[in-house]
Amino acid sequence: TEIYTLSLHDALPIYVFRGLGHAGRVAMTLNNMAYVFKDKGDLQGAYQLFRTAGDIGYQTDDKNVQAMTSNGEAIILWREGHIAEAVGKYQDAYKAWHEIGNRPRAAVLLNNIAIAFQDTGHLREAETYFRRSLQECRSIDEKMGLARELGNLGELHLKEGNIGEAEQEFNEQLNLGRKMGNMKEVSYALLDLGQLAMERDQLKQG
């Protein structure tokens, strides 16, 4: 793997902000650079930058930095197959964003935790977190997130053979997508309803 090092141009904003005492800006610069390292394939370099930025967040009690860097660490851990550790970091990020009232981001973190559990076959835990995200989105009227979680729950229930519950969730997703004028969600719901109809026919024939 090619090693990517910081150029003086890359590092200059860090030293300038550090010299001026802008710890939050230093942390955000490191966080942004971590994503560059990640996109270039240097996962360990990215992880170390997220960790360094996170340390600044904890030293200054900056909840937003704590959340963003914990989320970044979780992404790296997940890519490397450390699912349990990734879930822990996602939970840290959720807690920090929830504490400062960033409920849309908190809802996304609940979704990420659910997907991590789903990917490892822990379907009951996945359903719990999908429902928590759904409730969070309902409470803040976050329609895009609501449609996302209806689709996720529908797909989970369809895999489990719970066709009635899945159909209800897909139809709610479909109606919500139409109200929003979001053809992407409408398409997802229609495709899932088509799959559901095929499985229902197979059950009748069986």
Side-chain angles (χ1 to χ4, degrees), residues 2-205:
E2 183 178 355
I3 302 300
Y4 294 89
T5 57
L6 299 177
S7 68
L8 179 60
H9 180 267
D10 293 326
L12 185 58
I14 299 175
Y15 292 113
V16 170
F17 291 141
R18 182 172 290 165
L20 295 174
H22 296 305
R25 294 185 183 180
V26 173
M28 292 308 300
T29 299
L30 290 169
N31 184 76
N32 293 340
M33 289 167 59
Y35 279 102
V36 174
F37 275 54
K38 176 185 73 69
D39 291 343
K40 290 181 176 180
D42 185 356
L43 298 185
Q44 283 304 308
Y47 187 76
Q48 289 305 317
L49 285 168
F50 283 131
R51 287 288 299 273
T52 301
D55 288 344
I56 295 172
Y58 282 101
Q59 290 166 11
T60 58
D61 197 30
D62 188 324
K63 299 294 184 185
N64 188 54
V65 169
Q66 292 173 23
M68 294 190 73
T69 55
S70 291
N71 182 60
E73 288 180 59
I75 292 170
I76 302 301
L77 288 166
W78 190 350
R79 283 200 177 187
E80 294 187 331
H82 306 298
I83 304 300
E85 293 90 338
V87 168
K89 285 296 180 181
Y90 277 136
Q91 289 172 332
D92 290 343
Y94 167 78
K95 180 181 178 182
W97 266 321
H98 200 270
E99 284 181 4
I100 61 175
N102 193 336
R103 296 177 67 187
R105 295 298 292 270
V108 171
L109 264 296
L110 291 171
N111 174 75
N112 291 347
I113 295 170
I115 291 172
F117 277 123
Q118 186 177 44
D119 285 352
T120 53
H122 296 85
L123 300 185
R124 293 281 65 78
E125 292 87 348
E127 181 175 5
T128 296
Y129 278 96
F130 280 139
R131 289 197 182 281
R132 285 183 61 186
S133 182
L134 181 78
Q135 292 166 1
E136 190 82 37
C137 291
R138 282 195 196 279
S139 67
I140 58 176
D141 197 29
E142 211 289 277
K143 292 183 174 61
M144 286 293 296
L146 180 58
R148 176 191 66 227
E149 300 311 343
L150 287 166
N152 286 332
L153 282 166
E155 289 175 5
L156 181 65
H157 289 139
L158 185 58
K159 288 177 183 177
E160 293 178 331
N162 191 341
I163 291 179
E165 196 162 358
E167 185 174 32
Q168 181 178 343
E169 286 152 351
F170 290 145
N171 277 319
E172 190 173 350
Q173 179 190 18
L174 175 62
N175 292 334
L176 184 58
R178 284 172 172 166
K179 287 179 181 178
M180 292 189 297
N182 188 319
M183 296 311 297
K184 182 178 179 181
E185 292 297 334
V186 169
S187 298
Y188 285 156
L190 289 172
L191 285 170
D192 285 328
L193 284 167
Q195 178 66 29
L196 185 149
M198 289 175 60
E199 295 200 14
R200 178 174 280 157
D201 287 343
Q202 289 174 358
L203 287 172
K204 288 179 179 179
Q205 293 171 8

